[in-house]
C-alpha cells in the first residue's frame, strides 16, 4: 500500500472517529439515563420520556389516526418502562423504542376496535380541514420509509442526524428517504420544484 493510500485511509478513519465522538456524547447521556432508570431513579424516566417522545410520536403519527396517537405514545412508554431491564444494548434505546412504536401501530390495526352500526338518521357535521391535515394525509399515503422520516423531520422537527441516531437507520438512508419522500410529496401535492 502506498504512503498516499495509507494517509487517505488515516484521514477517513479520523473523520469517522470525529463524527462518532459528536454523537457519542448524546449516546452517553441516553445510556446514563437508562442505567439510572434500571437502578430505580424515577426522575430519570421523565428525562427518558422527554428525550424520546418526539421520536415515538412521529413514528405513530405516520401510521395511526391522529386522535389515537397520544394514547399509544403512552402505551409505548409504559411498555418501555416495564421492559427496560431487558434491553441488552443500552446504546440502542432510540431504535428499541422505535421498534416498540412500530409494533404497537401494527397491533392497533391487527386488533381493530369493534365497530357499531350508525343510525340512518344521523346527520354528519362538517369536518374541519386544514392544509396541515391535507399534507399529513398525503404523507401517510407514501411508502413506510418515506412516511416515517418525513413526519419525524417535518412534524417533529428532528434533523437528519437525529433521525439516524434515534431510529438506528444510517445517515445515508435517512438522507435518501427524506429526499425521495419530499420529491413524492411535492408531486402528490402538485408543487413544482
Amino acid at each position: 500500500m502506498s504512503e498516499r493510500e495509507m494517509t487517505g485511509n488515516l484521514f477517513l478513519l479520523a473523520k469517522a472517529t470525529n463524527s462518532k465522538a459528536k454523537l457519542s456524547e448524546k449516546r452517553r447521556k441516553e445510556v446514563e439515563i437508562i442505567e439510572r432508570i434500571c437502578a430505580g431513579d424515577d426522575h430519570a424516566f421523565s428525562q427518558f420520556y422527554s428525550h424520546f417522545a418526539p421520536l415515538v410520536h412521529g413514528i405513530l403519527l405516520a401510521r395511526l389516526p391522529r386522535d389515537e396517537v397520544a394514547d399509544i405514545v403512552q402505551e409505548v412508554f409504559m411498555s418501555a418502562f416495564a421492559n427496560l431491564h431487558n434491553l441488552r444494548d443500552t446504546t440502542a434505546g432510540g431504535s428499541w423504542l422505535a421498534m416498540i412504536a412500530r409494533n404497537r401501530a401494527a397491533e392497533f390495526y391487527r386488533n381493530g376496535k369493534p365497530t357499531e352500526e350508525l343510525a340512518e338518521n344521523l346527520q354528519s357535521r362538517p369536518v374541519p380541514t386544514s392544509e396541515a391535515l391535507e399534507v399529513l394525509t398525503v404523507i401517510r399515503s407514501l411508502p413506510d420509509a418515506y412516511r416515517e422520516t418525513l413526519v419525524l423531520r417535518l412534524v417533529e422537527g428532528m434533523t437528519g442526524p437525529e433521525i439516524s441516531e434515534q431510529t438506528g437507520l444510517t445517515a445515508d438512508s435517512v438522507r435518501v428517504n427524506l429526499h425521495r419522500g419530499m420529491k413524492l410529496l411535492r408531486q402528490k401535492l402538485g408543487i413544482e420544484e
Side-chain angles (χ1 to χ4, degrees):
M1 181 179 283
S2 73
E3 185 176 332
R4 183 179 175 110
E5 289 173 323
M6 286 191 295
T7 305
N9 289 343
L10 287 175
F11 175 73
L12 289 174
L13 178 63
K15 188 175 176 182
T17 305
N18 196 16
S19 67
K20 284 183 182 178
K22 290 178 188 175
L23 294 178
S24 66
E25 179 60 34
K26 197 171 189 178
R27 289 282 171 121
R28 275 194 294 268
K29 182 181 176 185
E30 292 171 5
V31 168
E32 177 191 320
I33 291 170
I34 291 170
E35 288 172 350
R36 286 177 37 216
I37 294 167
C38 291
D41 183 352
D42 292 335
H43 178 67
F45 193 76
S46 68
Q47 292 175 318
F48 182 77
Y49 181 90
S50 297
H51 185 75
F52 287 112
L55 169 73
V56 172
H57 186 266
I59 289 170
L60 294 173
L61 189 61
R63 291 173 161 70
L64 299 173
R66 192 174 47 124
D67 58 337
E68 299 288 342
V69 171
D71 289 339
I72 298 181
V73 166
Q74 297 305 315
E75 288 178 18
V76 168
F77 279 98
M78 287 177 10
S79 175
F81 185 73
N83 295 298
L84 198 56
H85 63 280
N86 293 328
L87 181 62
R88 283 182 254 149
D89 181 5
T90 55
T91 63
S95 55
W96 179 68
L97 272 173
M99 179 194 66
I100 293 171
R102 290 180 193 116
N103 288 342
R104 289 289 173 156
E107 211 174 275
F108 173 83
Y109 289 110
R110 223 180 0 256
N111 301 333
K113 295 182 178 179
T115 58
E116 238 179 79
E117 199 166 320
L118 298 174
E120 288 186 34
N121 60 355
L122 184 67
Q123 294 184 1
S124 65
R125 289 179 273 157
V127 177
T129 60
S130 71
E131 208 171 89
L133 287 175
E134 179 186 341
V135 172
L136 186 58
T137 301
V138 173
I139 289 174
R140 286 181 174 157
S141 72
L142 300 176
D144 278 346
Y146 305 150
R147 180 180 357 164
E148 189 172 291
T149 53
L150 283 175
V151 170
L152 291 173
R153 176 71 183 109
L154 299 174
V155 177
E156 300 300 332
M158 295 171 73
T159 64
E162 288 173 332
I163 295 169
S164 172
E165 184 177 348
Q166 290 194 4
T167 61
L169 296 170
T170 66
D172 289 337
S173 294
V174 170
R175 189 172 25 261
V176 167
N177 290 348
L178 285 172
H179 176 75
R180 290 178 181 169
M182 284 301 293
K183 186 175 180 178
L184 274 174
L185 180 61
R186 285 187 191 106
Q187 287 173 353
K188 288 189 175 227
L189 291 174
I191 300 172
E192 297 297 321
E193 287 188 39

